[in-house]
Amino acid sequence: MIKMKEIAELAGVSISTVSNVLNGRKNVGQATRERVLQICSEYGYHPNLSGKKAKSANSNTIVFVFSDFDRDFYLKIIEGISDCLTENGYDLMICTNKSAANFMRGSLASGAIILDGSLTDDFLISVAKPDFPVVLMDRIIRNEQAETKSVIVDNYPVMCEMVQGLVDKGFKRFGFIGGLDFTLDNQERYAGFTDTLAKNNIEFDRKYYFHGNYREKSGYQAAKIMLLSNDLPEVVVCANDNMAIGAIKAFEENKIRVPDDISVTGFDDSVLAEMKGLTTISIPRYESGYLAAKELLAMLEGTANKEPFKLGATIKWRKTVK
Amino acid sequence: MIKMKEIAELAGVSISTVSNVLNGRKNVGQATRERVLQICSEYGYHPNLSGKKAKSANSNTIVFVFSDFDRDFYLKIIEGISDCLTENGYDLMICTNKSAANFMRGSLASGAIILDGSLTDDFLISVAKPDFPVVLMDRIIRNEQAETKSVIVDNYPVMCEMVQGLVDKGFKRFGFIGGLDFTLDNQERYAGFTDTLAKNNIEFDRKYYFHGNYREKSGYQAAKIMLLSNDLPEVVVCANDNMAIGAIKAFEENKIRVPDDISVTGFDDSVLAEMKGLTTISIPRYESGYLAAKELLAMLEGTANKEPFKLGATIKWRKTVK
DNA sequence: TTGTAAGCGTTATCAT
DNA sequence: ATGATAACGCTTACAA
């Protein structure tokens, strides 16, 4: 690893001249500039980022934290983030929750985008400062001190719309398989569900609420439990696709046909949902990543409000609903 | 961001004492140690990694580079890498090809794992030095100077085994949809295919080789072309699942039933393959990531040979083969 | 246009 | 047991 000092010696100039050349400052003679550049490429010089950052806290790198390896749409989100950052001259560095604290606190990056439930609110509040803004995806932290901004799916209205659609189709007996109770997503989705039923004077007995954890298996198990009772609902609304797919599997194993005997809906529009023909709600993943990055850059420039940004979603009616 | 200097002042000790406490050195009095630790947690001190690295080039972080956002098995590989590194006290930092040069050359990391076709051999050779070893996944670079090690799927024997299986089932007229010609994977898979046919005295007319690029669409198009001729093969062996799925789609659109009229096989065992009941070859993803990380750590310790590490794969006979 | 020197937040050596 | 002090590789006033 050749360093600036050696380049300077080879070029017969001072270290600061090399630095000036490399940073494109104009106070360098044409001849010197070319000579330095020539030597740099000849010897394969590349700046040591640690040295750089040690001095000018301005790192131009953003960290993205995730950790649930089961959600296949991470890649699309990352692609959106990556594109936006690249367009703006920033580097993206991705890590899992395990290294998050190190990278977020070590001043290697200038901001972070979080799509992870395992980092605590307290931790996030402690790192999200004006000089290290944080964008939260699918999550909201209400704290005046913390420099956070949320980018979330606007679950409520689209869930209302879908449930209203189901009501209009004539469904009366509903079941609901929920995700993790404490997540914002689940709360809003469930609220849209119950509110719409209430509005239509359809009673929802809480015994038809089944607790899941967003994984396929939990949907499968919820459906298994449902099957034990003698009165299945006419339609099961699930808080995400994975659970819907699990539920369908359980029904089919028990000779309950979807949608003939029971209808099922999901949320997310994952690859599998499309494949299975699952009625669900489609979220703009790439766009959400792009937007999250854009908001973060705005925060870095001080031009951003802290109101949650709500992403619209759209219903995909497919064949799992009669 | 409070720094060591301020902690030192608050504790009424010198900066070096704080450093000693933080790095668990034993040359510090019990009372001092406790006082310093207390103040650190009280003021939320966290070391600045740039400062750290500026001094002691030993970073304990590994970078993983990928960039094809269409391959759904990245996450499993990352999980494997992440687990191995975490167990060994390393941090994982993931990036796409766009930032790869920065992170690999900036001395932020001590080694890299590459799963990306867009980084050139030349680039990789230029960074892979004894003090910055590189593990390549699904790719081999033969260069004595470069400190690289490959972790690859042992395509050949398993492909032979599968094709032999097909021959044993009585298939005689084969088609092959290849991936990108220059990739090692494609070359080995195709070699296993032709060699096995030759061994069984089955002639393979090169006109039944179709060029694809590993994407679903290219498989679809290859099948479309096949359909134009009047003699379809009895079985189409594809270099990966995506293309196999595309081909199946094309066949079904043209009322050619799989497997009744034509059999199809893939390679990878992706989520979709399982879903579609595609006969394919399963690669141990999590394990391959774990192993790649393990090999990298071994290189870092100087205990590793440079022979490619070959991962075994297994056939999954499913319903797309008659 | 170019160079000198101070400083970034750490670690490590060597006195004390 | 503790503290000066140099050093890491770079940037940036400021001086020449």
Side-chain angles (χ1 to χ4, degrees):
Chain A
M1 296 292 108
I2 191 166
K3 357 185 167 165
M4 262 184 55
K5 189 178 175 198
E6 317 177 48
I7 297 289
E9 282 162 7
L10 287 163
V13 297
S14 80
I15 229 180
S16 38
T17 298
V18 177
S19 172
N20 285 332
V21 169
L22 263 28
N23 292 5
R25 282 183 254 279
K26 44 310 202 77
N27 57 344
V28 187
Q30 186 58 21
T32 320
R33 153 164 285 118
E34 277 167 13
R35 185 155 32 95
V36 169
L37 254 19
Q38 158 63 22
I39 295 184
C40 282
S41 84
E42 190 172 326
Y43 288 82
Y45 170 79
H46 292 281
N48 178 314
L49 296 194
S50 303
K52 226 174 178 135
K53 293 181 187 174
K55 185 63 186 177
S56 64
N58 187 9
S59 68
N60 263 37
T61 117
I62 299 297
V63 21
F64 173 68
V65 183
F66 78 102
S67 57
D68 185 344
F69 295 96
D70 271 355
R71 302 174 84 175
D72 67 11
F73 52 77
Y74 276 135
L75 294 174
K76 277 291 157 207
I77 293 175
I78 293 174
E79 191 172 11
I81 295 174
S82 173
D83 284 354
C84 177
L85 294 181
T86 303
E87 287 164 15
N88 289 279
Y90 278 77
D91 282 318
L92 169 63
M93 149 178 177
I94 304 161
C95 71
T96 68
N97 59 352
K98 307 221 177 86
S99 304
N102 273 338
F103 293 152
M104 294 176 71
R105 285 184 165 145
S107 310
L108 291 183
S110 26
I113 300 173
I114 311 294
L115 179 47
D116 177 295
S118 67
L119 297 177
T120 65
D121 282 8
D122 284 348
F123 168 74
L124 291 170
I125 290 170
S126 77
V127 283
K129 305 287 174 198
D131 64 342
F132 191 87
V134 171
V135 168
L136 307 170
M137 299 185 77
D138 293 354
R139 172 168 181 173
I140 291 185
I141 294 180
R142 304 228 174 262
N143 183 303
E144 285 309 315
Q145 315 310 318
E147 196 70 9
T148 66
K149 163 127 192 168
S150 295
V151 170
I152 55 177
V153 173
D154 201 3
N155 296 291
Y156 187 83
V158 70
M159 181 56 106
C160 290
E161 189 188 341
M162 187 181 73
V163 174
Q164 185 63 52
L166 293 169
V167 169
D168 293 346
K169 285 178 196 292
F171 290 103
K172 289 214 162 29
R173 303 207 333 277
F174 287 76
F176 191 92
I177 302 182
L180 296 167
D181 293 337
F182 59 84
T183 58
L184 185 66
D185 279 346
N186 191 59
Q187 288 156 12
E188 292 186 347
R189 291 168 193 181
Y190 184 58
F193 172 77
T194 50
D195 288 359
T196 306
L197 291 189
K199 196 172 131 198
N200 288 274
N201 297 313
I202 294 175
E203 191 194 352
F204 178 67
D205 187 338
R206 182 76 189 178
K207 81 177 182 193
Y208 287 108
Y209 181 100
F210 298 84
H211 293 269
N213 61 6
Y214 291 128
R215 309 253 166 166
E216 183 177 323
K217 195 168 180 192
S218 70
Y220 179 86
Q221 288 166 334
K224 283 284 199 189
I225 294 171
M226 252 179 249
L227 287 160
L228 293 178
S229 78
N230 278 330
D231 58 337
L232 282 181
E234 296 162 342
V235 53
V236 178
V237 173
C238 303
N240 82 346
D241 287 349
N242 290 346
M243 296 191 297
I245 286 165
I248 291 173
K249 195 171 283 177
F251 290 138
E252 286 176 345
E253 282 179 14
N254 285 269
K255 309 276 185 243
I256 306 288
R257 292 162 306 162
V258 177
D260 309 80
D261 301 326
I262 193 166
S263 293
V264 178
T265 70
F267 206 116
D268 280 350
D269 197 18
S270 62
V271 179
L272 270 67
E274 186 178 358
M275 190 125 222
K276 287 269 187 190
L278 178 67
T279 288
T280 186
I281 289 168
S282 176
I283 297 168
R285 301 184 215 309
Y286 174 89
E287 291 79 0
S288 71
Y290 195 97
L291 237 142
K294 202 168 159 195
E295 289 298 326
L296 186 61
L297 297 184
M299 289 172 89
L300 243 14
E301 288 168 2
T303 65
N305 64 55
K306 293 170 71 176
E307 275 311 294
F309 190 106
K310 297 200 169 188
L311 292 160
T314 52
I315 304 171
K316 301 277 180 193
W317 293 104
R318 298 207 185 96
K319 67 182 190 207
T320 57
V321 166
K322 189 157 52 175
Chain B
M1 294 293 108
I2 191 164
K3 356 182 170 167
M4 263 185 54
K5 189 178 173 198
E6 316 178 48
I7 297 290
E9 282 162 7
L10 286 163
V13 297
S14 80
I15 257 188
S16 18
T17 298
V18 177
S19 173
N20 285 332
V21 169
L22 262 28
N23 292 359
R25 282 184 252 282
K26 44 312 200 83
N27 59 343
V28 187
Q30 185 59 22
T32 319
R33 154 164 283 116
E34 278 167 11
R35 184 153 34 92
V36 169
L37 254 19
Q38 156 64 22
I39 294 184
C40 282
S41 83
E42 189 171 327
Y43 288 82
Y45 170 80
H46 292 280
N48 177 315
L49 295 196
S50 303
K52 225 173 179 133
K53 291 180 187 173
K55 186 64 185 175
S56 64
N58 188 8
S59 68
N60 262 38
T61 115
I62 298 298
V63 22
F64 173 68
V65 184
F66 78 102
S67 58
D68 184 344
F69 295 97
D70 272 355
R71 303 173 82 176
D72 66 12
F73 52 76
Y74 276 134
L75 293 173
K76 277 292 157 206
I77 294 175
I78 292 174
E79 190 172 11
I81 295 175
S82 172
D83 283 354
C84 177
L85 293 183
T86 303
E87 287 165 15
N88 289 278
Y90 278 78
D91 281 318
L92 170 62
M93 149 177 176
I94 304 160
C95 71
T96 69
N97 59 351
K98 306 222 177 84
S99 303
N102 273 338
F103 292 152
M104 293 175 73
R105 285 184 164 143
S107 311
L108 290 182
S110 28
I113 300 173
I114 311 295
L115 180 47
D116 176 296
S118 68
L119 297 177
T120 66
D121 281 10
D122 284 347
F123 168 74
L124 291 170
I125 290 170
S126 78
V127 284
K129 306 287 174 200
D131 64 342
F132 190 88
V134 171
V135 168
L136 306 170
M137 301 186 75
D138 292 355
R139 173 169 182 173
I140 290 184
I141 294 180
R142 304 232 175 258
N143 182 303
E144 285 309 314
Q145 315 311 320
E147 194 71 10
T148 66
K149 163 127 192 167
S150 296
V151 171
I152 55 178
V153 173
D154 200 2
N155 295 292
Y156 187 83
V158 69
M159 181 56 106
C160 290
E161 189 188 340
M162 188 182 72
V163 174
Q164 186 62 52
L166 293 169
V167 169
D168 293 346
K169 285 178 196 293
F171 290 103
K172 289 208 164 31
R173 304 206 332 278
F174 286 76
F176 190 91
I177 302 182
L180 296 167
D181 292 338
F182 60 84
T183 57
L184 185 67
D185 279 346
N186 191 60
Q187 289 156 11
E188 292 187 347
R189 290 169 195 181
Y190 183 57
F193 172 77
T194 50
D195 288 0
T196 306
L197 291 189
K199 197 171 130 197
N200 288 276
N201 298 312
I202 293 177
E203 190 195 354
F204 178 67
D205 188 337
R206 183 76 188 180
K207 79 175 182 192
Y208 287 108
Y209 180 99
F210 298 85
H211 293 268
N213 61 6
Y214 290 129
R215 307 255 168 166
E216 183 178 322
K217 195 170 180 190
S218 71
Y220 179 87
Q221 289 166 334
K224 282 284 197 189
I225 295 171
M226 252 178 249
L227 285 161
L228 292 177
S229 77
N230 278 328
D231 58 336
L232 281 179
E234 297 164 340
V235 54
V236 179
V237 174
C238 304
N240 81 346
D241 287 348
N242 290 345
M243 297 191 296
I245 286 166
I248 290 173
K249 194 171 286 180
F251 290 138
E252 286 178 345
E253 281 178 16
N254 285 269
K255 310 275 185 242
I256 306 288
R257 291 161 306 163
V258 176
D260 308 80
D261 302 325
I262 192 166
S263 292
V264 178
T265 70
F267 205 115
D268 279 350
D269 197 18
S270 62
V271 179
L272 268 67
E274 186 178 357
M275 193 122 220
K276 287 266 187 193
L278 177 68
T279 287
T280 188
I281 289 167
S282 176
I283 298 168
R285 302 186 212 310
Y286 174 90
E287 292 79 0
S288 72
Y290 194 97
L291 236 140
K294 202 168 160 195
E295 289 298 325
L296 186 63
L297 298 183
M299 289 173 90
L300 244 13
E301 287 166 5
T303 65
N305 63 58
K306 293 169 71 176
E307 276 311 294
F309 190 105
K310 297 200 171 190
L311 292 159
T314 52
I315 304 170
K316 301 280 179 190
W317 293 103
R318 299 209 184 95
K319 65 183 188 203
T320 58
V321 167
K322 191 160 50 174

